Amino acid sequence: MSKVLGIIAEYNPFHNGHLYHLEKSKELTGCDYTIAIISGNFTQRGSTSLIDKWEKAKIALLNGVDLVIELPVLYSISSSENFADGNVKILNSLGVVDYISFGSECDDINILNKIADILYSEPKDFKDFLSIELKKGLSFPKARENALLKYINEDKTFSNILSSPNNILGIEYLKALKKYNSKINPVCVHRFNSEYNSNNFSDNIASSTAIRSLVKDGNFDIIKDLVPFETYSILMDNVNNGHIVSDLSVFEKEIIYVLRKMSIDEIANIPDVSEGLEFSIKNAVNSCNTLNELLNIVKSKRYTLTRLQRIFLYALLGITKKDMELSKNVLPYVRVLGFNENGKNLISEISKKNPNVQIITSVKRFVDNNSDINLKGLLDKDIFATNVYTLGFKNNSESNLDFKNRIIHID
C-alpha cells in the first residue's frame, strides 16, 4: 500500500531548509508520494509572495514534490488558527494522505500535542486565565501564552515553545487534526540554524525572511548558496522579467487609497478589526504617506505588526468579516497548481477515493460548471488576489492569469 505525505508550506521562496525538511519528512515517513499545499500570491504574515504561485509550484516539483495544491487566499492570509484549519481540511478531504509533516523549533511531538489538547478542549480554568490576560490589553497570542503558562503552573519549557512561530503553527495543525477527527498522522521535523523571522544565515541555511531581504537588496551572489539551483535560476528569471514582488509596501499607495476611501463602518467590517481599531486606522491613514508610517502609528501591545499587516491586506483585497466566516464554514476545493507523473496518478486516486471532492484543474471549466455559490465566492477572491498581485510587477502586469496560466507539468 502506497504512503502519502502532506506538507503545508509557503515556500517564499523554497530554500535549503525547505529541501532538508522535505527530504527528512520522506525519510521519517517512508512515503511514496508527496503533496504540498502552498500559499498563493499572499502570505500568512500579511505580506506578498516573492514570486507568483505558479513559479513556486514549479520549484517545489523540481525539488521532489509530486502534487502542488494552492491554499485559497482566505486561508493563506488568515490567522494561524484559520490558516491551519484550511490546510488540514483540504488534506483530510483528499482521502489519501497518511502523514502531515511540519517544521518546528521543538521536535517533541508529545509536548506540542499536550498543548494542542489544552487549546482544543479549552478547560474552564484556562479560559478564565485567558480572559484575565486579554483584559490587560495584550495581543491574543501573548494573552494565550500567559494563560497557558498559568494553567500548567508556570512551566518555562512551554513558554519557550509558545514564543516560536513554527511551534504555534504546528500546534494549530494538531488542533485541526483533532477537530476533524483525522486519521492523518503528524510528524515533526526540527528546524535548525536559522529562526523563522531571522535576517541572519549560517553556512547554507537561511530563513525565507533573510532571503527576501537579500533579494530586495540585490545580493544575489549570497542567495546562490542558500537555495537549491532551481530556486536560484527561477528567482533570477523573475528578477530579470520584473516579476518580483518584494513585500506589502509595493502596494502601500493602493492600501492607503482604499482605507481613505472606506467609511468607518467599512473598516470595522474588515476581519480582525475590533474594539474601536477602525477609528485609529481612519485617523492614521488620513495623515500617512507610507505603510511603515501607518503601521507605526496604529500598532499597540494588543495589535501586533503581523495582525495589522493582515488587516491592511484584507482591505486591499476587499475581504470582509462575512468572507472570513465563509472560509470557516466551507470545505474548500482542491486547486491544482502543478504535478509530475506521480502527482497525476495521485489526482486519479483522490478522485476514486472521494468522488465528491471538488478538484480544479481548469478555472474556466470550474467557473462555467460549478453551482456552489460558496466555492464561487472562495475562488472569486483567489482570482482577484492574483489580479491585484500582478500590479506589483514592474513589467507585463497582466490580469486574469488564473484563466491564462496552465497547470505546471513536470515530466
Side-chain angles (χ1 to χ4, degrees), residues 254-266:
E254 290 87 346
I255 290 169
I256 291 169
Y257 163 76
V258 167
L259 287 170
R260 285 186 178 183
K261 188 179 178 183
M262 294 175 82
S263 67
I264 291 288
D265 288 344
E266 286 171 328

Side-chain angles (χ1 to χ4, degrees), residues 240-258:
N240 294 331
N241 292 335
H243 284 188
I244 293 290
V245 184
S246 56
D247 56 42
L248 195 61
S249 67
V250 170
F251 300 105
E252 63 186 4
K253 293 302 182 186
E254 290 87 346
I255 290 169
I256 291 169
Y257 163 76
V258 167

